[in-house]
Amino acid sequence: MFAELAAQTGDWTASVWAVCLALEVPASDVKQRLGHGAGEFPSHFHPGEEVLCGEVLESVGLFDVPRPLGERGTEIQRLLKAAMGASGGLRSGHALGLSRRFGRGELTGAFLLLARTVPRRERGRHAEYWAALCTAGELLLQVGSEEDRDVEQALQECRQRTVEASQGRPSANSAPPSQ
């Protein structure tokens, strides 16, 4: 949508605003996102690069539509963030992806991503990490979604890893400290 509009009008900043407002991103959020550097991206591109510019803007979350969370969603998000804190550090791409998922209210996707991520061997608090994920997974199953099967499978693995961590045995797949 952005690329077509930017190519037609030549006004890339106005195109960003139009797309965000059409997606129902609050104007205050658009202003804040543009103020945090995303507004400078279009100036680094030239006519004919509208698609590439749009992809960059998408990748930094400029077009993400925020979704407010209810009480249960807020608790799930708190648990997932507690797991992140207990991980011993996440790669920047994972952290950015999780941040964007939280803003969009995609808690199941955030849970599944964290369930596939192993805390760092030396710095991670493994038992705390897996316990937080177990509780978050249980709450997600209470909500119910079409991804329940994936959540249930990931939850089973988290429970097993919780047992291993409580016995002082980090998962065999623990990430090395150099990660």
Side-chain angles (χ1 to χ4, degrees):
M1 186 184 327
F2 165 81
E4 292 175 22
L5 191 55
Q8 289 174 3
T9 66
D11 187 341
W12 293 23
T13 302
S15 299
V16 165
W17 272 96
V19 170
C20 288
L21 295 176
L23 292 170
E24 298 183 8
V25 176
S28 60
D29 286 5
V30 178
K31 186 175 181 178
Q32 180 183 21
R33 293 172 191 184
L34 291 173
H36 283 118
E40 297 174 22
F41 282 120
S43 67
H44 298 290
F45 295 90
H46 305 287
E49 297 178 326
E50 293 86 359
V51 171
L52 180 59
C53 180
E55 289 171 353
V56 170
L57 294 172
E58 172 63 31
S59 73
V60 298
L62 188 70
F63 302 123
D64 287 355
V65 179
R67 183 173 148 232
L69 300 173
E71 192 174 315
R72 185 182 310 256
T74 301
E75 178 62 12
I76 293 168
Q77 183 180 47
R78 185 193 67 74
L79 289 161
L80 295 174
K81 287 183 175 183
M84 289 173 63
S87 72
L90 296 170
R91 293 182 183 143
S92 62
H94 275 52
L96 176 61
L98 287 165
S99 175
R100 289 186 63 199
R101 286 176 190 265
F102 290 148
R104 295 185 311 236
E106 297 173 0
L107 301 178
T108 300
F111 168 77
L112 293 172
L113 178 62
L114 285 168
R116 290 187 303 266
T117 303
V118 178
R120 293 191 182 211
R121 184 176 298 145
E122 299 299 322
R123 295 187 310 237
R125 298 182 309 275
H126 295 254
E128 185 180 331
Y129 180 84
W130 296 116
L133 286 181
C134 285
T135 305
E138 290 163 0
L139 288 173
L140 281 168
L141 286 175
Q142 290 175 11
V143 173
S145 78
E146 56 190 48
E147 297 173 298
D148 277 355
R149 185 173 179 190
D150 295 334
V151 171
E152 181 60 43
Q153 183 179 2
L155 180 56
Q156 293 294 349
E157 293 170 15
C158 290
R159 288 176 178 146
Q160 179 60 40
R161 290 178 183 225
T162 300
V163 170
E164 292 169 1
S166 69
Q167 296 171 348
R169 301 179 309 168
S171 171
N173 296 328
S174 292
S178 63
Q179 250 186 356

